[in-house]
């Protein structure tokens, strides 16, 4: 890692960081400049960066089809040897007009579309959307429905973090085994979702004012069995990975994100907490019933890729605590506000912003109603899109292979980034 | 070959086959898909290759990162108009014999995003799709069923005459035109030789 300047959270230093000052002037193993015939591209230096005599940069376009970019993500990288000198993310390969469709749909009809934003975590997407609609219309949610939402959201968090860790180590070359372990547990959670909502991935379960249906008989026992087995699985997973030499070498000190830059760039979620900033919307907003469950917010020390990996493991352990309490205390009662009107729902004119702590960060929906059956403006604040904006700052000066691992630790899902 | 004779011979330890059966048996038993995911359906495609569903039972677990080594393109997810040229180009780069599975509602018709201004309304406008797997997303069982159906299709392809696979037809197109973004939309909007929408038949026509 380069000697990063002591970062203060002012605009000047942020500007300095984003114009490539993180890159040392000379690399120890600079290869000789390629022969003139081998020159492919010559990139113009970024404004503010002095011309150097380090030879030509090689411009590589990674993606949109590349086995190591997650989904249809593309990054245009300028390489000096193997070192990343510039990195430009290119978005839009999965732009599915989510916001425009949301403005032409009824409020109820938008819920299935929110499933497909971040397709690992459909239930937390549902929650953020129905939360903003409930704020807009001032709907109350029964207690049992709030419990069901917490249970579903924490199961989703476990699922997302498991898959993230699996794909992260897959990017480092651990082909198969850890990902298979992760997907084995994921299938157990998906079975729970399927019996609860009828679908494995696209659950479409929350409604404004509650949840769509009550639990099927015996669901709590099955969920309890899974939750009880989770710590043993995490122990096994950590034994497999934590002290693995390759994992340590590939992640520690790689892609350091300073807390100042993270805060200034609007990074949220595990990425922010890995940099040591104590900010969890479950604690800050206390939406739902999260103030009833004592749980800790794990924080990282260094902000490197290893911390981002470890935060996910620790968050799964905290989710296990929440799940145990929620399944134990689940009250009886209705699951949806009987006064809630789903079809032909016309909230009064106004606006609302509902946000939750999705597994990837702050997921918010901003709705403006003009009193008609569909929102006048529908805006999504996706966490992985905002977290992706600092990818270049984390990757500069590292090798291309590290950039792939850093991208994996950011935890992006293109359905949410491009919408 | 006469089934009775074949059965009689097999009882005496003589295994008989035809060149066509042997050739198609080899082709259908190791269909290597392209490691290529577009959206939500790709996650179910990955799940199908994991331990619970185990696509390796059908010889299709070798997801190749390069189109040059792949036999099967599983179009798993929404094809946007920005992505469609890449999809067609990847297909053109695959060697024959090659097959296409349109997995999920989006790849078949645009699915829930069909009204969107940036979503291609079905990849069969540009590629010869062999199999459609409905669902949003299809479960891994559905993908496995699709692979089995594709294997049946490959096994039934004759080596000569009508219906032979494209790599045995001298005049079949080797490449399909790659669309480009024109002033308003993708041009061409469809491949006329491939895109044959079902005609509307009115039952009570006067």
């Amino acid at each position: 890692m380069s000697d990063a300047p002591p970062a203060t959270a002012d605009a000047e230093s942020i500007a300095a960081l984003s114009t490539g000052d993180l890159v040392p002037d000379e690399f120890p193993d600079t290869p000789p400049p390629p022969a003139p015939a081998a020159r492919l591209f010559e990139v113009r230096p970024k404004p503010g960066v002095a011309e150097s005599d380090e030879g030509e940069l090689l411009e590589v376009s990674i993606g949109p089809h590349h086995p190591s970019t997650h989904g249809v993500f593309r990054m245009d990288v300028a390489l000096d040897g193997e070192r990343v000198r510039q990195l430009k993310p290119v978005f839009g390969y999965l732009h599915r007009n989510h916001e425009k469709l949301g403005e032409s749909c009824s409020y109820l009809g938008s819920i299935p579309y929110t499933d497909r934003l971040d397709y690992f975590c459909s239930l937390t997407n549902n929650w953020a959307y129905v939360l903003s609609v409930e704020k807009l219309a001032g709907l109350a949610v029964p207690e049992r429905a709030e419990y069901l939402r917490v249970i579903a959201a924490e199961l989703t968090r476990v699922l997302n973090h498991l898959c993230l860790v699996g794909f992260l180590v897959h990017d480092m070359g651990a082909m198969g085994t850890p990902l298979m372990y992760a997907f084995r547990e994921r299938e157990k959670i998906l079975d729970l979702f399927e019996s609860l909502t009828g679908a494995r991935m696209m659950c479409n379960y929350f409604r404004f004012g509650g949840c769509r249906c009550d639990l099927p008989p015996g669901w709590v026992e099955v969920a309890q069995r899974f939750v009880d087995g989770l710590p043993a699985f995490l122990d096994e997973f950590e034994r497999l990975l934590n002290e693995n030499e390759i994992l340590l070498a590939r992640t520690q000190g790689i892609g350091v994100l300073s807390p100042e830059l993270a805060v200034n760039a609007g990074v949220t979620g595990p990425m922010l907490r890995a940099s040591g900033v104590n900010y969890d919307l479950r604690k800050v907003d206390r939406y739902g019933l999260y103030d009833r469950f004592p749980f800790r917010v794990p924080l990282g020390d260094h902000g490197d890729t290893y911390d981002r990996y470890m935060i996910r493991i620790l968050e799964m352990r905290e989710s296990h605590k929440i799940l145990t309490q929620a399944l134990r205390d689940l009250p009886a009662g209705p699951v949806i506000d009987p006064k809630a009107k789903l079809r032909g729902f016309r909230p009064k004119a106004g606006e609302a912003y509902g946000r939750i702590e999705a597994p990837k960060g702050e997921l918010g929906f901003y709705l403006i109603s003009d009193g008609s059956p569909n929102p006048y403006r529908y805006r999504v604040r996706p966490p992985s899109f905002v977290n992706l904006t600092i990818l270049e700052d984390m990757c500069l000066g590292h090798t291309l292979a590290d950039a792939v691992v850093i991208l994996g630790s950011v935890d992006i899902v293109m359905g949410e980034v491009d919408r | 070959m006469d089934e009775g004779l074949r059965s009689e011979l097999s009882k005496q330890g003589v295994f008989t086959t035809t060149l066509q059966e042997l050739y198609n048996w080899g082709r259908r038993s190791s269909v290597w898909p392209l490691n290529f995911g577009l959206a939500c359906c790709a996650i179910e495609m990955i799940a199908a290759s994991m331990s619970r569903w185990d696509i390796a039972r059908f010889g299709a677990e070798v997801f190749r990162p390069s189109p040059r080594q792949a036999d099967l393109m599983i179009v798993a997810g929404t094809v946007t108009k920005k992505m469609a040229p890449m999809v067609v180009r990847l297909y053109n780069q695959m060697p024959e014999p090659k097959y296409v599975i349109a997995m999920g509602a989006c790849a078949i018709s645009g699915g829930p995003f069909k009204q969107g201004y940036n979503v291609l309304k079905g990849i069969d406008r540009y590629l010869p799709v062999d199999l459609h797997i409905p669902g949003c997303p299809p479960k891994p069982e559905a993908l496995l069923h699709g692979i089995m159906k594709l294997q049946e299709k490959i096994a039934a392809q004759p080596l000569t005459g009508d219906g032979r696979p494209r790599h045995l037809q001298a005049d079949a197109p080797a490449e399909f035109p790659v669309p480009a973004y024109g002033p308003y939309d993708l041009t061409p909007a469809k491949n006329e030789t491939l895109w044959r929408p079902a005609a509307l038949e009115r039952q009570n026509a006067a």
Side-chain angles (χ1 to χ4, degrees):
Chain A
M1 184 52 206
S2 68
D3 46 341
T8 52
D10 61 271
E12 193 185 332
S13 70
I14 300 305
L17 283 173
S18 60
T19 47
D21 277 358
L22 272 172
V23 185
D25 286 338
E26 286 186 8
F27 297 108
D29 299 317
T30 308
R39 286 176 194 169
L40 290 179
F41 296 101
E42 200 166 343
V43 292
R44 279 171 296 179
K46 286 182 102 175
V49 177
E51 291 271 358
S52 72
D53 54 353
E54 289 177 27
E56 284 73 28
L57 299 182
L58 178 68
E59 204 174 65
V60 186
S61 168
I62 304 177
H65 164 251
H66 191 274
S68 66
T69 61
H70 292 211
V72 284
F73 179 61
R74 175 177 155 204
M75 42 187 183
D76 284 348
V77 190
L79 293 174
D80 180 3
E82 238 189 296
R83 304 269 161 186
V84 176
R85 297 301 303 263
Q86 280 183 29
L87 189 150
K88 182 166 158 269
V90 184
F91 303 128
Y93 287 98
L94 196 55
H95 175 53
R96 299 194 281 198
N97 334 116
H98 182 91
E99 292 175 0
K100 208 68 196 166
L101 287 173
E103 285 160 19
S104 57
C105 253
S106 68
Y107 284 89
L108 179 64
S110 281
I111 297 179
Y113 284 109
T114 62
D115 284 335
R116 288 155 180 83
L117 268 179
D118 171 358
Y119 31 79
F120 276 107
C121 324
S122 59
L123 283 163
T124 48
N125 298 344
N126 285 174
W127 197 357
Y129 176 68
V130 298
L131 193 71
S132 56
V133 177
E134 281 157 8
K135 273 191 178 176
L136 189 65
L139 292 171
V141 182
E143 193 184 9
R144 184 177 172 84
E146 290 278 25
Y147 268 89
L148 290 183
R149 285 182 181 185
V150 169
I151 292 169
E154 293 306 316
L155 282 174
T156 307
R157 197 179 312 278
V158 173
L159 184 157
N160 178 73
H161 288 352
L162 273 176
C163 293
L164 169 94
V165 172
F167 285 121
L168 178 64
V169 294
H170 188 268
D171 285 342
M172 288 177 221
M175 296 291 186
T177 311
L179 191 59
M180 292 238 183
Y181 277 40
F183 266 70
R184 189 186 66 195
E185 298 302 301
R186 177 182 183 263
E187 291 291 343
K188 293 178 189 167
I189 301 177
L190 289 189
D191 281 351
L192 288 173
F193 286 170
E194 193 174 10
S195 63
L196 175 62
T197 70
R200 277 159 56 88
M201 281 172 68
M202 304 303 166
C203 295
N204 182 17
Y205 181 55
F206 297 163
R207 293 287 181 269
F208 13 96
C211 299
R212 194 179 73 216
C213 52
D214 206 345
L215 295 175
W219 193 86
V220 176
E221 288 73 31
V222 182
Q224 189 69 54
R225 265 208 301 284
F226 167 76
V227 171
D228 290 342
L230 190 60
F233 166 72
L234 286 175
D235 290 343
E236 182 191 27
F237 209 47
E238 286 198 70
R239 266 205 312 281
L240 179 67
L241 295 176
N242 267 7
E243 293 172 14
N244 182 291
E245 198 174 336
I246 298 174
L247 184 108
L248 295 181
R250 292 294 304 275
T251 57
Q252 289 194 333
I254 302 293
V256 175
L257 175 62
S258 70
E260 292 80 13
L261 178 59
V263 169
N264 283 331
V267 172
T268 47
M271 287 267 296
L272 179 66
R273 295 193 285 277
S275 296
V277 182
N278 188 355
Y279 183 77
D280 188 326
L281 285 179
R282 290 175 291 176
K283 294 282 191 193
V284 174
D285 273 14
R286 298 181 173 274
Y287 63 93
L289 294 177
Y290 273 114
D291 47 356
R292 289 195 191 177
F293 307 109
F295 67 97
R296 295 177 301 171
V297 178
L299 296 177
D301 275 341
H302 309 95
D304 56 359
T305 308
Y306 187 76
D307 276 7
R308 288 195 283 277
Y309 152 76
M310 206 62 215
I311 285 283
R312 264 84 180 206
I313 301 275
L314 294 174
E315 281 200 0
M316 282 192 272
R317 293 197 182 271
E318 297 304 315
S319 291
H320 165 255
K321 279 187 203 166
I322 301 175
L323 280 168
T324 312
Q325 298 169 59
L327 286 170
R328 189 190 60 212
D329 301 339
L330 183 66
V335 294
I336 189 159
D337 183 4
K339 291 200 292 292
K341 191 181 174 198
L342 297 178
R343 290 176 194 280
F345 175 74
R346 299 167 79 104
K348 284 203 263 309
E351 53 190 88
Y353 179 67
R355 57 178 191 174
I356 65 159
E357 179 74 26
K360 295 177 169 62
E362 175 186 334
L363 173 64
F365 282 82
Y366 183 63
L367 298 172
I368 301 181
S369 164
D370 56 356
S372 61
N374 40 353
Y376 171 74
R377 182 73 176 96
Y378 175 105
R379 158 86 190 150
V380 190
R381 188 257 186 227
S384 41
F385 175 62
V386 181
N387 291 357
L388 201 49
T389 51
I390 38 97
L391 182 66
E392 179 176 24
D393 300 281
M394 290 197 290
C395 290
L396 287 183
H398 291 296
T399 60
L400 183 61
D402 286 336
V404 168
V405 176
I406 294 168
L407 173 70
S409 75
V410 177
D411 194 7
I412 59 164
V413 162
M414 288 320 280
E416 190 176 66
V417 173
D418 291 338
R419 302 190 291 290
Chain B
M1 185 174 184
D2 181 38
E3 282 301 318
L5 177 60
R6 172 185 288 198
S7 159
E8 191 59 39
L9 283 171
S10 72
K11 281 176 196 158
Q12 296 170 24
V14 182
F15 173 70
T16 55
T17 185
T18 61
L19 184 62
Q20 175 178 314
E21 280 175 17
L22 187 67
Y23 183 73
N24 283 344
W25 172 78
R27 286 203 304 138
R28 76 157 197 263
S29 306
S30 63
V31 180
W32 287 5
L34 181 61
N35 186 354
F36 174 59
L38 289 170
C40 332
C41 291
I43 309 299
E44 289 294 60
M45 187 173 78
I46 296 168
S49 70
M50 288 294 149
S51 45
R52 183 173 185 182
W53 310 103
D54 196 11
I55 206 170
R57 292 175 291 162
F58 306 95
E61 85 281 15
V62 197
F63 281 87
R64 302 317 296 180
S66 164
R68 300 286 185 204
Q69 303 166 341
D71 309 313
L72 167 66
M73 173 184 256
I74 302 177
V75 185
T78 316
V79 188
T80 61
K81 287 177 182 168
K82 190 170 180 178
M83 193 64 199
M86 317 321 178
V87 177
V88 180
R89 195 170 299 142
L90 282 169
Y91 180 76
N92 283 341
Q93 287 172 354
M94 283 164 57
E96 292 277 5
K98 54 189 172 184
Y99 296 90
V100 179
I101 288 181
M103 179 182 182
C106 292
I108 294 172
S109 70
F113 300 96
K114 185 163 185 163
Q115 283 85 17
Y117 50 85
N118 194 33
V119 175
L120 187 69
K121 289 153 190 65
I123 192 61
D124 50 0
R125 283 156 199 258
Y126 294 115
L127 296 183
V129 177
D130 293 281
L131 204 79
H132 298 84
I133 304 177
C136 187
K139 292 179 73 171
E141 294 105 308
L143 179 60
L144 296 183
H145 187 220
I147 299 254
M148 286 156 72
K149 285 286 168 194
L150 182 71
Q151 289 181 335
E152 284 173 23
K153 178 173 178 167
I154 295 173
Q157 278 182 327
L159 297 189
T160 52
D162 290 340
R164 62 191 192 277
R166 205 169 53 235
H167 67 286
L168 297 177
Q169 300 175 20
D171 53 346
E175 283 204 341
F176 290 90
V178 179
Y181 216 84
Y184 304 109
D185 205 344
L186 283 179
T187 47
K190 53 187 176 288
N191 186 343
E192 298 286 353
T193 58
L194 291 175
W195 169 239
R196 289 187 207 91
L200 191 68
E201 289 181 18
R202 296 188 189 281
Q203 295 204 328
N204 299 328

